[in-house]
Amino acid sequence: MEYRKFGTTGLKTSLLGFGGFHLLEIPVSDAEKLLNTYLDAGGNYIETAHSYGNGESERKIARAVKHRRDDFILVSKIDARDKQGAVRELDAILHDLETDHLDILLMHAVGSMVELEKILSDSGACQAALEARKAGKIRFIGISMHGWPGTLIQALEHGGFDAVMMTANYYDRFNYPEIENKLLPLAQSKGAGSILMKPLADGFLYRSAEQAFHYAFSRPVSVVVTGINTQRMLNDDLQFAEQYTPMTQEEEQQLFRTAPELGTYICRQCGKCSCPEGINIPEVFACEGYYDRQMAHGSVDDTAQFALTERLRFWFENRTLAEQRYKELHPKADVCTECGKCIPMCPYSINIPGKLHVADYKLAGRLLY
């Protein structure tokens, strides 16, 4: 398996990382088999969070691989934003993992600037992390988010973070393009290790796992972390990692054209469309990506797929941000006359007037669709 530099930390991480959330769904005996098989295959990055079952995931990891502590990079996350809460949470993490130190401690799911300010304040969680590093309880400090990358961009600009953990996959690339266009290059320039999570878009890409991992592994990141709860899943993920070769630009464009999850509804943000009424079409659809990941499109073609999208569309809780962003647009999508001049401009055969109608219904809080 390929190993990559983890920023400027001196660590080297395996291409495939093992995420601990889905260990909650299986007994400890199965967790032991999966984690040890992963390590035996050359994996060396195991990540969890104290909020995963109030320490249950951490306790399963300890039971499974604490005797191999030197074989892997151990990562956990804290949800506390204040210093005292962070101290208590870190002590609980080390207790449940049965170790005296973490390799990386992440500030978990920092979704707003208010949270970031609390973390960075004199009485914030980062102060606890800095003191823990001096005491040898952690080696490196990082920060994670879900969806919107603004907090991580600001955190990197502020400095002091050794790692950033971000959502990246070929579906959400078009909902949060700033992740790949701005956050990843910034992380590289700052020497921060970059952790890619959700390569399957929270399971939305489960029918296209091989091409989803191929895309994720081809990003300029240090490690791709995925949740694993079956032997078949682990075998597949290890095979994808071991057989990985970088995706070519032609393969990437082919994926964007033909991926069934993108279809003829998801805007690829190519910028080739325009509107005689002055609607900024790509920006409207960017707002829709923030709102619900462009998952609700006004029709139900498959009941099981519809149920999955209903579960995942508000996963990142960015609706307020999307509505504020849309409110600032002038003109809005409701001035569309359905003239159809934009339709032949789209290389992905999107019914742009119809999609504008759906997006405006969502973003402007219309009472009827």
Side-chain angles (χ1 to χ4, degrees), residues 207-340:
R207 295 175 180 171
S208 308
E210 185 171 5
Q211 60 189 19
F213 275 100
H214 191 195
Y215 178 84
F217 290 148
S218 298
R219 301 310 94 194
V221 297
S222 307
V223 59
V224 174
V225 182
T226 187
I228 299 167
N229 60 8
T230 70
Q231 188 65 51
R232 178 197 57 78
M233 192 182 296
L234 176 60
N235 292 342
D236 287 348
D237 295 352
L238 286 170
Q239 183 179 18
F240 298 151
E242 290 162 359
Q243 296 179 353
Y244 161 71
T245 56
M247 181 176 277
T248 66
Q249 188 172 7
E250 291 76 16
E251 289 173 326
E252 186 173 291
Q253 292 304 313
Q254 177 69 7
L255 176 62
F256 297 161
R257 284 193 298 271
T258 62
E261 301 86 0
L262 299 174
T264 57
Y265 187 80
I266 305 303
C267 174
R268 275 54 153 204
Q269 293 292 320
C270 66
K272 294 182 179 179
C273 56
S274 63
C275 171
E277 302 299 324
I279 300 170
N280 186 335
I281 297 171
E283 179 62 14
V284 171
F285 296 155
C287 292
E288 186 188 8
Y290 273 35
Y291 183 83
D292 74 343
R293 304 167 80 181
Q294 304 183 78
M295 284 187 173
H297 50 77
S299 65
V300 180
D301 305 315
D302 179 278
T303 302
Q305 190 70 5
F306 175 76
L308 181 60
T309 58
E310 284 299 293
R311 182 170 185 264
L312 297 178
R313 59 190 290 236
F314 297 129
W315 206 249
F316 298 148
E317 300 181 346
N318 291 150
R319 276 177 283 181
T320 300
L321 187 65
E323 290 164 348
Q324 291 173 343
R325 183 172 173 178
Y326 185 65
K327 190 175 182 179
E328 295 171 0
L329 280 184
H330 299 285
K332 295 180 173 54
D334 61 343
V335 307
C336 174
T337 64
E338 300 186 12
C339 69

Side-chain angles (χ1 to χ4, degrees), residues 27-336:
V28 68
S29 58
D30 289 353
E32 288 177 0
K33 293 176 184 176
L34 293 175
L35 286 163
N36 281 285
T37 300
Y38 166 76
L39 294 179
D40 291 342
N44 77 342
Y45 181 100
I46 298 175
E47 178 189 294
T48 183
H50 190 63
S51 59
Y52 297 168
N54 193 28
E56 181 180 345
S57 172
E58 293 167 334
R59 292 189 290 274
K60 285 178 176 175
I61 290 169
R63 177 79 66 87
V65 294
K66 66 178 180 180
H67 63 290
R68 305 180 65 172
R69 179 65 184 87
D70 294 336
D71 293 346
F72 60 92
I73 295 163
L74 182 57
V75 186
S76 194
K77 315 181 193 79
I78 57 172
D79 289 277
R81 303 313 189 207
D82 64 294
K83 181 179 178 180
Q84 291 184 341
V87 169
R88 290 193 297 270
E89 197 169 355
L90 178 57
D91 286 344
I93 287 171
L94 296 176
H95 176 270
D96 286 340
L97 283 169
E98 299 185 44
T99 184
D100 62 355
H101 76 283
L102 294 175
D103 294 295
I104 305 167
L105 176 68
L106 297 173
M107 307 290 141
H108 193 193
V110 183
S112 70
M113 292 302 179
V114 171
E115 289 179 271
L116 181 61
E117 288 174 5
K118 288 181 180 179
I119 287 169
L120 294 173
S121 71
D122 292 341
S123 59
C126 276
Q127 291 301 315
L130 290 170
E131 291 179 10
R133 184 164 64 184
K134 288 180 181 178
K137 293 182 178 181
I138 63 174
R139 298 176 64 192
F140 301 104
I141 303 169
I143 185 170
S144 78
M145 59 74 173
H146 296 93
W148 181 61
T151 50
L152 266 63
I153 291 170
Q154 185 63 38
L156 285 174
E157 295 286 8
H158 177 275
F161 290 99
D162 305 299
V164 288
M165 184 176 193
M166 66 202 73
T167 302
N169 53 71
Y170 73 74
Y171 183 81
D172 285 310
R173 172 193 178 109
F174 302 110
N175 296 316
Y176 298 96
E178 305 98 324
I179 292 173
E180 294 196 31
N181 296 339
K182 188 171 183 179
L183 177 58
L184 264 176
L186 181 61
Q188 288 181 305
S189 70
K190 297 289 186 179
S194 48
I195 307 161
L196 186 156
M197 64 172 162
K198 303 182 184 295
L200 296 183
D202 302 292
F204 188 64
L205 306 178
Y206 76 99
R207 295 175 180 171
S208 308
E210 185 171 5
Q211 60 189 19
F213 275 100
H214 191 195
Y215 178 84
F217 290 148
S218 298
R219 301 310 94 194
V221 297
S222 307
V223 59
V224 174
V225 182
T226 187
I228 299 167
N229 60 8
T230 70
Q231 188 65 51
R232 178 197 57 78
M233 192 182 296
L234 176 60
N235 292 342
D236 287 348
D237 295 352
L238 286 170
Q239 183 179 18
F240 298 151
E242 290 162 359
Q243 296 179 353
Y244 161 71
T245 56
M247 181 176 277
T248 66
Q249 188 172 7
E250 291 76 16
E251 289 173 326
E252 186 173 291
Q253 292 304 313
Q254 177 69 7
L255 176 62
F256 297 161
R257 284 193 298 271
T258 62
E261 301 86 0
L262 299 174
T264 57
Y265 187 80
I266 305 303
C267 174
R268 275 54 153 204
Q269 293 292 320
C270 66
K272 294 182 179 179
C273 56
S274 63
C275 171
E277 302 299 324
I279 300 170
N280 186 335
I281 297 171
E283 179 62 14
V284 171
F285 296 155
C287 292
E288 186 188 8
Y290 273 35
Y291 183 83
D292 74 343
R293 304 167 80 181
Q294 304 183 78
M295 284 187 173
H297 50 77
S299 65
V300 180
D301 305 315
D302 179 278
T303 302
Q305 190 70 5
F306 175 76
L308 181 60
T309 58
E310 284 299 293
R311 182 170 185 264
L312 297 178
R313 59 190 290 236
F314 297 129
W315 206 249
F316 298 148
E317 300 181 346
N318 291 150
R319 276 177 283 181
T320 300
L321 187 65
E323 290 164 348
Q324 291 173 343
R325 183 172 173 178
Y326 185 65
K327 190 175 182 179
E328 295 171 0
L329 280 184
H330 299 285
K332 295 180 173 54
D334 61 343
V335 307
C336 174

